[in-house]
Amino acid sequence: ANRGGKQKKGNVTSEQEEEEQPLQAVLVADSFNRRFFPISKDQPRALLPLGNVAMIDYTLEFLTSTGVQETFVFCCWMSNKIKDHLLKSKWCRPTSPNVVHIITSDLYRSLGDVLRDVDAKNLVRNDFILVYGDVVSNIDVSQALQEHRHRRKVDKNISVMTMVFKESSPGHKSRCEEDDVIVAMDSKSKRVLHYQKTQGLKKLQFPMNIFQHGSDEFEIRHDLLDCHISICSPQVAELFTDNFDYQTRNDFVRGILVNEEILGNQIHLYVTQDGYGARVSNLQMYDSVSSDMVRRWVYPLTPEANFTDQQGQGCTHSRHNVYRGAEVSLGHGSQMEENVLIGRDTSIGANCHISNSVIGNNCTIGDNVVLDRAHMWNNVHISSNVEIHQSVVCDGAVVKEAVRLNKQCVLAYNVVIGPNLSLPEGTVVSMHHPEEEEEDDDDEFLSDDQEVGHTFNPAEVGPEGKGYIWKASMNDTEDEELAQCLWGRPLSKQNVCKVVSFQLEVLGTLQRGLEENIVCDNLVLEINSLKYAYNITLKEVMQILTRVVLEYPFQQQGTQLTTLQYTGSLLPLLKTWSPVFKNYIKRAQDHLDCLSAVEELFLEQDTHQTAMVKVLMKMYQLEILEEEAILKWFSTGATNDKSRQLRKNQGLQKFIQWLKEAEDESSEEGE
Amino acid sequence: MPGADKEADLTERIEAFLADLKRGGCGTGPIRGSGETARETTALLRKVTAQARWSSAGDLMEIIRKEGRRMTAAQPSETTVGNMVLRVLKIIREEYARSRGSSEETDQQESLHKLLTSGGLSDENFRQHYVHLKANVIEAINELLTELEGTTDNIAMQALEHIHSNEVIMTVGRSRTVEAFLKDAARKRKFHVIVAECAPFCQGHEMATNLSKASIETTVIADAAIFAVMSRVNKVIIGTQTVLANGGLRAVNGTHTVALAARHHSTPLIVCAPMFKLSPQFPNEEDTFHKFVSPHEVLPFTEGEILSKVNVHCPVFDYVPPELITLFISNIGGNAPSYIYRLMSELYHPEDHDL
């Protein structure tokens, strides 16, 4: 590892050591994941512009304003670019109150590696602040720091880390779905008792023993936003060295909490109500942090403050949060509605509507352009009649005439799109071919089986377009990292995905079972394990199972089957799989659920409604369904016209009649 | 080389001051009072005068202008900084003129005749070198500093002329000057102060605590009650952030409400403002006129979903037009709003108005 910019200024340190040690910070200017791919293929994440200022500048300003005097910046991916940027910035001027040391190495693979290196090089002497290079914050951590130091003094170094959280209720747009945490803490001492990422789970478990010791007041909080700012004692670095398996802060926190009894280390929490702190961990967060910044939540880190002291970077702020840089020209009839930031030397044509957008320096925008929640970086060219909604357009990209970018599109560096094209929601276009990276990296998660030729596809990027579409791989949800998902995906959508993929898996299992003659018990086992893998309720399993079985003939032989053919192929199948059904359909409610699934399917396949009676009959004969359940379903289940219509089916009426008679008979026999 | 070291030290001081200005005022107004900012700026400019390299008054003015531009850009709403830069520039002009022997005094008087006869404003180039100029300028800046030290006391001294026994006085928010003013009067007289809390920052609470500590009978009211209470009030005494060139105010928001209510009830409105708050700025729709801070105080961040659906603004200042103001009390005495332009021309040189 080479150390750049390591000219320690003797006079500065000696001056400040008179009272106490200078406050140090470790800034990790690497995310160690690929959430911003393919954008971060050209530019490291810390240098991506947020409100026309590189993200790392926000982090450094935050550190400097809290009184940090020495910062170690650790970079790995594209370390040269970060280094160049920092050397040019005001942080490396001799007058800077915050001495920045840049440490680069290609060997860092995680936060753990960085902190082990901190320990190996013996860089920190005292409590330090640990942040990522993409944290935007104006929180005054001096209060937290004081509490931390006080705890360390009183409790003989038991507390090793204080994590800074911001209060924000669930549903806030700046809450990152992946960082959603549930924390159990001691109300008095602010000690963390339990820390768990929710990851969309509905049920969470807390070990009982956390409530048994010590204090009598606990808080279980879900209204916390992780700012990714932590105050660490030097022990943290040592602990990372001792435990080679710690990769992330999450590992560390969990490790400490699990081993609390043995090692006696504790973690504390600092919850702030004012101030702002968030980490730009995906594009969803990028979008919301950027809009928060434009709406002045991060005051005094506002665009017009020009805190980086760069020449010509200043802009003015006027009503409705409209910021304009120097030499901005606006065409006749164009409107900057609200929350708009426009960089210097940008020219905008006539009759444009711009709202909630950030536009970089040296951009040209044509006439009749509509921009809403667009994030355009520098040197972007937009032709006339373009519409952009909630998308990111990187440096040097060109959007030709009459292009429409729907929500959550990303145009990476130097891409050309159009003319006359509408990109569907969530399209990612990059000049890098999605496959080229498999060559330079082996631990790849992008399992794209689709072959894309190494020429630009005019159907995808337009006749004059340049760039390759990156698949927004929706099927990779098993990949728990959600690695490809640039925009953090809302949870509900994920749920739908889950059900669909579960259905496919069940179908596959049954198919295989039929081909390879697998015993039904094993099929049940497989379906059960799938159920756990996808976290699906029993009710859903049954409905999906019913649906898959009933659709099976269509799947195999196409949808043009006659009713006779359909029943002919379905009835033997029902017989084969009846043990599977019986395993899932046990309680009375299960019967009704199963019947409603049958009904739902036949409502969709209305040409085959006559087959329904046969199916029900078969299921009754196979003792999958009980007569009482069928009768109950028939009498009460009708909720809308269609299902009432269905119940008027002659065959069905007869079947029910027959069932009733059979019941009467059996009851008579019983007497 | 000691010279280089000194210069480095100087730039470091300036940078620190700039950074402070930029970060200053996270909502509740500047951490320091504007008096302190004024003194700090002047002290810094004195340091610049003493340590920067310059050979003639022109050079020095150029340096001061350059630094002044940066300082004002750092926090445009903090006009005190710019005012102090202008004062120092004026001092340099005067000292230069004195060294040259011509009396700036007569030069300064703008008679109608002079306005008509003189072509440009001034054809002075400030290029001549004078040995004692530096010492003289520093001496004059020191005088300015002494003047700044005493401003609050000078204003407070006039309190007994304006506050009488058993009066009911209303004020809004917190102003250090008004606080000193009221406390001074309380030494001799008994009166009742009503403090409007001045939401969303509620500086009024702090003001009320401080006043009641000085055993002044104090009542805090919500801003909405200002109009209702105004009928009982004998006098409104407020502070301000800036006095504009037309005699209007840029004051903490809520002040305009108070001023209008006072006008409705014909209650005199007195503004305690030291001379250093006098700014050559006019109230136009300039972008830097307003200051918007984090909307946190208006709608807390914890609100959740609603925040993505609404725009929340939190402006800090109100503009109060001059016709609503009865009297200004500055450290050199009481003045009507219509006289402000005159004071302005005495304090600042017209050529310096924009840096």
Side-chain angles (χ1 to χ4, degrees):
Chain A
N2 82 64
R3 283 197 206 181
K6 180 95 187 165
Q7 337 103 324
K8 194 166 261 176
K9 297 201 336 194
N11 55 341
V12 174
T13 33
S14 64
E15 250 175 43
Q16 278 137 4
E17 254 161 9
E18 50 192 19
E19 231 212 290
E20 55 183 43
Q21 296 257 330
L23 183 57
Q24 295 174 310
V26 170
L27 192 159
V28 185
D30 201 316
S31 53
F32 305 117
N33 64 32
R34 308 182 151 209
R35 298 301 301 276
F36 272 70
F37 258 43
I39 303 172
S40 57
K41 257 179 115 70
D42 297 287
Q43 191 87 318
R45 192 203 284 190
L47 295 189
L48 300 184
L50 183 94
N52 296 344
V53 175
M55 287 198 234
I56 197 169
D57 288 329
Y58 288 96
T59 317
L60 281 167
E61 171 66 22
F62 155 69
L63 291 174
T64 312
S65 65
T66 50
V68 171
Q69 286 157 346
E70 195 174 11
T71 307
F72 300 98
V73 179
F74 287 82
C75 352
C76 172
W77 174 252
M78 298 210 164
S79 49
N80 285 336
K81 281 200 172 180
I82 298 178
K83 204 165 140 184
D84 287 349
H85 174 85
L86 288 178
L87 289 176
K88 265 188 269 166
S89 73
K90 80 164 184 176
W91 315 110
C92 283
R93 287 184 206 155
T95 52
S96 165
N98 182 0
V99 184
V100 174
H101 306 292
I102 305 162
I103 299 166
T104 61
S105 161
D106 293 335
L107 299 172
Y108 302 137
R109 283 277 170 270
S110 69
L111 176 70
D113 292 339
V114 168
L115 284 172
R116 281 186 271 278
D117 202 41
V118 168
D119 188 42
K121 288 181 176 147
N122 223 343
L123 295 174
V124 292
R125 299 178 291 279
N126 213 324
D127 294 341
F128 64 97
I129 298 176
L130 174 68
V131 287
Y132 281 98
D134 43 18
V135 168
V136 176
S137 172
N138 64 355
I139 294 172
D140 185 7
V141 294
S142 54
Q143 174 78 22
L145 202 67
Q146 224 166 35
E147 280 177 23
H148 180 79
R149 284 184 179 144
H150 177 74
R151 268 196 292 269
R152 304 254 313 151
K153 212 177 270 173
V154 171
D155 290 343
K156 302 258 169 351
N157 300 345
I158 281 178
S159 172
V160 288
M161 188 194 251
T162 303
M163 296 190 282
V164 177
F165 281 83
K166 162 139 189 64
E167 223 171 70
S168 77
S169 49
H172 198 287
K173 70 180 160 60
S174 301
R175 272 173 75 110
C176 184
E177 299 275 3
E178 305 141 48
D179 282 337
D180 219 22
V181 285
I182 291 261
V183 181
M185 66 180 221
D186 189 322
S187 320
K188 275 186 200 138
S189 63
K190 304 268 179 261
R191 182 155 73 89
V192 179
L193 301 170
H194 187 71
Y195 178 90
Q196 192 176 2
K197 293 207 173 190
T198 54
Q199 285 166 336
L201 298 179
K202 295 236 164 59
K203 267 186 201 157
L204 294 154
Q205 286 188 332
F206 294 90
M208 274 311 284
N209 64 332
I210 60 169
F211 303 111
Q212 275 154 6
H213 45 168
S215 152
D216 43 5
E217 270 182 63
F218 301 98
E219 283 173 34
I220 294 177
R221 305 190 65 159
H222 186 229
D223 63 337
L224 298 176
L225 170 73
D226 191 350
C227 303
H228 288 274
I229 300 164
S230 16
I231 300 164
C232 307
S233 56
Q235 271 157 287
V236 172
E238 290 163 25
L239 283 166
F240 266 97
T241 313
D242 293 346
N243 297 281
F244 262 95
D245 53 333
Y246 288 173
Q247 295 300 320
T248 60
R249 196 184 71 167
N250 207 18
D251 291 344
F252 174 78
V253 172
R254 276 162 63 183
I256 291 287
L257 291 178
V258 167
N259 297 325
E260 199 187 310
E261 317 281 78
I262 311 157
L263 297 168
N265 291 321
Q266 295 178 347
I267 291 178
H268 288 81
L269 207 64
Y270 176 78
V271 179
T272 174
Q273 280 175 339
D274 30 51
Y276 182 90
R279 182 177 175 211
V280 182
S281 46
N282 54 31
L283 276 185
Q284 189 79 53
M285 284 301 283
Y286 178 86
D287 183 38
S288 53
V289 171
S290 172
S291 85
D292 282 343
M293 207 257 312
V294 169
R295 287 162 202 236
R296 306 182 78 77
W297 283 98
V298 207
Y299 184 88
L301 298 186
T302 48
E304 91 277 11
N306 188 19
F307 59 87
T308 51
D309 266 344
Q310 260 158 355
Q311 279 294 315
Q313 196 49 275
C315 58
T316 60
H317 171 228
S318 36
R319 270 158 202 277
H320 305 293
N321 291 338
V322 173
Y323 304 85
R324 267 167 305 168
E327 307 293 322
V328 167
S329 76
L330 192 66
H332 185 77
S334 284
Q335 279 182 1
M336 296 186 284
E337 275 159 30
E338 53 182 17
N339 306 320
V340 176
L341 167 58
I342 298 178
R344 87 186 108 87
D345 299 323
T346 288
S347 67
I348 295 169
N351 298 319
C352 297
H353 279 265
I354 304 171
S355 55
N356 304 311
S357 299
V358 175
I359 301 171
N361 303 329
N362 290 317
C363 294
T364 45
I365 293 173
D367 301 339
N368 302 316
V369 173
V370 177
L371 302 177
D372 182 48
R373 295 179 75 186
H375 300 274
M376 305 204 314
W377 298 353
N378 303 328
N379 306 316
V380 173
H381 289 265
I382 306 273
S383 305
S384 300
N385 305 316
V386 171
E387 231 175 284
I388 299 182
H389 297 278
Q390 201 194 354
S391 296
V392 174
V393 182
C394 301
D395 289 6
V398 177
V399 180
K400 303 250 176 187
E401 291 239 332
V403 171
R404 188 187 156 91
L405 298 190
N406 285 316
K407 279 185 175 178
Q408 309 194 338
C409 285
V410 176
L411 302 187
Y413 292 86
N414 305 320
V415 161
V416 182
I417 288 289
N420 302 318
L421 188 74
S422 171
L423 285 186
E425 204 170 300
T427 316
V428 179
V429 187
S430 166
M431 289 306 277
H432 296 276
H433 196 272
E435 272 158 35
E436 79 187 36
E437 105 193 48
E438 266 157 27
E439 291 145 29
D440 42 59
D441 230 303
D442 34 14
D443 59 327
E444 204 32 68
F445 32 74
L446 187 89
S447 54
D448 242 5
D449 44 355
Q450 211 151 349
E451 279 291 328
V452 188
H454 279 238
T455 49
F456 306 124
N457 184 351
E460 286 174 343
V461 294
E464 293 165 34
K466 283 181 194 162
Y468 305 101
I469 299 259
W470 279 51
K471 290 288 164 236
S473 52
M474 293 301 257
N475 303 336
D476 283 1
T477 28
E478 308 104 285
D479 217 340
E480 49 155 0
E481 292 280 29
L482 291 158
Q484 274 307 105
C485 205
L486 276 164
W487 302 88
R489 198 181 305 123
L491 281 173
S492 55
K493 213 165 160 188
Q494 202 174 338
N495 233 341
V496 171
C497 267
K498 252 176 13 192
V499 170
V500 170
S501 44
F502 177 74
Q503 189 172 342
L504 288 176
E505 291 271 2
V506 171
L507 180 68
T509 310
L510 292 180
Q511 218 166 338
R512 217 154 11 92
L514 214 60
E515 282 161 13
E516 297 168 20
N517 256 335
I518 298 174
V519 197
C520 281
D521 283 352
N522 289 353
L523 286 180
V524 169
L525 265 181
E526 270 196 47
I527 293 173
N528 274 346
S529 63
L530 284 173
K531 165 179 175 288
Y532 289 117
Y534 286 93
N535 189 28
I536 277 183
T537 61
L538 204 60
K539 185 180 165 184
E540 280 173 314
V541 171
M542 198 175 48
Q543 286 177 335
I544 290 167
L545 182 70
T546 316
R547 196 180 180 84
V548 167
V549 171
L550 294 185
E551 277 180 350
Y552 197 82
F554 298 124
Q555 281 287 342
Q556 300 299 315
Q557 296 159 34
T559 45
Q560 283 87 15
L561 285 181
T562 62
T563 312
L564 218 65
Q565 279 171 319
Y566 172 70
T567 46
S569 55
L570 181 68
L571 295 183
L573 288 175
L574 279 174
K575 194 174 159 76
T576 351
W577 286 327
S578 67
V580 182
F581 276 107
K582 278 181 195 164
N583 185 65
Y584 288 105
I585 302 172
K586 286 185 177 138
R587 295 168 300 142
Q589 186 59 41
D590 299 341
H591 289 271
L592 289 180
D593 288 338
C594 175
L595 278 164
S596 64
V598 173
E599 180 186 336
E600 200 181 313
L601 183 101
F602 280 103
L603 281 176
E604 278 171 33
Q605 306 280 351
D606 41 8
T607 49
H608 297 298
Q609 274 183 5
T610 41
M612 186 176 175
V613 173
K614 295 224 167 96
V615 172
L616 288 179
M617 184 72 184
K618 189 75 187 168
M619 286 174 110
Y620 173 67
Q621 282 168 348
L622 290 169
E623 291 173 1
I624 297 170
L625 295 172
E626 286 172 8
E627 57 183 42
E628 285 151 48
I630 298 176
L631 290 174
K632 193 175 175 197
W633 162 77
F634 186 78
S635 55
T636 61
T639 47
N640 54 24
D641 284 346
K642 265 194 165 178
S643 54
R644 243 170 256 135
Q645 198 67 39
L646 182 81
R647 280 172 178 68
K648 284 188 187 138
N649 183 314
Q650 239 179 11
L652 193 61
Q653 296 265 10
K654 261 185 199 163
F655 173 61
I656 297 293
Q657 191 70 33
W658 178 78
L659 270 183
K660 272 183 184 158
E661 277 165 18
E663 191 184 27
D664 289 345
E665 261 168 48
S666 62
S667 58
E668 272 165 32
E669 270 167 34
E671 274 170 14
Chain B
M1 201 170 120
D5 214 33
K6 257 187 184 173
E7 218 152 279
D9 177 49
L10 181 65
T11 36
E12 206 164 305
R13 285 273 301 269
I14 293 174
E15 293 298 330
F17 182 68
L18 286 177
D20 256 15
L21 277 179
K22 277 186 186 178
R23 283 171 207 141
C26 292
T28 43
I31 308 152
R32 298 170 293 198
S34 46
E36 209 171 310
T37 315
R39 283 198 291 278
E40 228 167 279
T41 317
T42 319
L44 199 60
L45 291 174
R46 182 178 62 182
K47 221 174 162 63
V48 172
T49 317
Q51 292 180 353
R53 291 150 188 269
W54 53 276
S55 52
S56 68
D59 290 349
L60 178 60
M61 279 163 70
E62 211 36 65
I63 294 168
I64 301 260
R65 257 196 212 112
K66 198 179 115 242
E67 295 301 337
R69 266 197 296 269
R70 288 183 59 203
M71 287 179 197
T72 42
Q75 187 63 271
S77 70
E78 193 65 68
T79 41
T80 325
V81 177
N83 298 346
M84 286 304 105
V85 174
L86 297 188
R87 286 289 282 273
V88 170
L89 286 175
K90 165 96 170 167
I91 285 172
I92 298 167
R93 280 173 195 276
E94 278 174 359
E95 290 307 320
Y96 180 81
R98 191 174 300 162
S99 309
R100 224 175 49 153
S102 73
S103 74
E104 180 82 358
E105 298 300 316
T106 50
D107 227 33
Q108 182 64 55
Q109 300 300 323
E110 283 173 26
S111 66
L112 190 57
H113 174 250
K114 203 157 181 293
L115 277 174
L116 288 171
T117 49
S118 70
L121 268 167
S122 159
D123 46 5
E124 189 60 74
N125 63 2
F126 298 103
R127 284 284 149 228
Q128 236 149 331
H129 178 75
Y130 294 105
V131 191
H132 296 297
L133 185 61
K134 192 176 195 167
N136 288 344
V137 168
I138 289 174
E139 183 63 27
I141 295 178
N142 279 336
E143 273 169 33
L144 175 61
L145 268 174
T146 333
E147 185 201 317
L148 290 176
E149 299 277 349
T151 44
T152 315
D153 289 338
N154 286 337
I155 293 174
M157 258 162 38
Q158 304 166 46
L160 289 179
E161 295 165 29
H162 298 279
I163 298 176
H164 309 292
S165 279
N166 296 322
E167 272 189 335
V168 179
I169 289 166
M170 181 185 276
T171 184
V172 60
R174 173 163 189 251
S175 153
R176 288 167 180 81
T177 320
V178 173
E179 195 184 311
F181 191 81
L182 294 173
K183 277 182 181 167
D184 193 82
R187 287 191 292 116
K188 292 250 174 75
R189 308 225 160 106
K190 261 190 96 58
F191 53 94
H192 185 177
V193 179
I194 295 172
V195 184
E197 64 175 358
C198 204
F201 303 114
C202 295
Q203 305 101 313
H205 297 176
E206 200 188 340
M207 176 81 162
T209 331
N210 291 348
L211 289 179
S212 59
K213 268 185 203 149
S215 56
I216 299 172
E217 199 186 340
T218 313
T219 313
V220 182
I221 57 166
D223 294 339
I226 288 172
F227 189 81
V229 172
M230 189 57 82
S231 56
R232 295 178 50 207
V233 173
N234 298 99
K235 215 164 263 164
V236 179
I237 300 179
I238 56 169
T240 181
Q241 207 261 348
T242 308
V243 179
L244 300 164
N246 67 342
L249 301 182
R250 174 166 61 183
V252 70
N253 59 8
T255 313
H256 196 189
T257 322
V258 173
L260 285 171
R263 158 56 52 98
H264 185 88
H265 289 282
S266 300
T267 314
L269 179 85
I270 297 175
V271 180
C272 290
M275 291 304 282
F276 63 77
K277 291 199 175 175
L278 206 53
S279 157
Q281 193 182 12
F282 277 91
N284 47 8
E285 272 300 306
E286 210 173 287
D287 293 324
T288 53
F289 188 81
H290 293 284
K291 178 167 152 187
F292 289 87
V293 298
S294 164
H296 175 83
E297 298 286 343
V298 182
L299 192 67
F301 192 75
T302 44
E303 278 305 323
E305 277 172 80
I306 183 82
L307 286 176
S308 41
K309 294 174 192 137
V310 293
N311 278 318
V312 194
H313 297 284
C314 184
V316 178
F317 298 122
D318 255 358
Y319 166 64
V320 183
E323 54 274 16
L324 299 179
I325 297 158
T326 319
L327 189 71
F328 281 102
I329 300 176
S330 71
N331 43 326
I332 54 168
N335 291 312
S338 53
Y339 194 67
I340 292 293
Y341 87 97
R342 189 68 230 166
L343 292 174
M344 197 79 65
S345 65
E346 270 171 31
L347 279 178
Y348 312 120
H349 197 276
E351 261 179 68
D352 295 330
H353 280 186
D354 28 69
L355 284 170

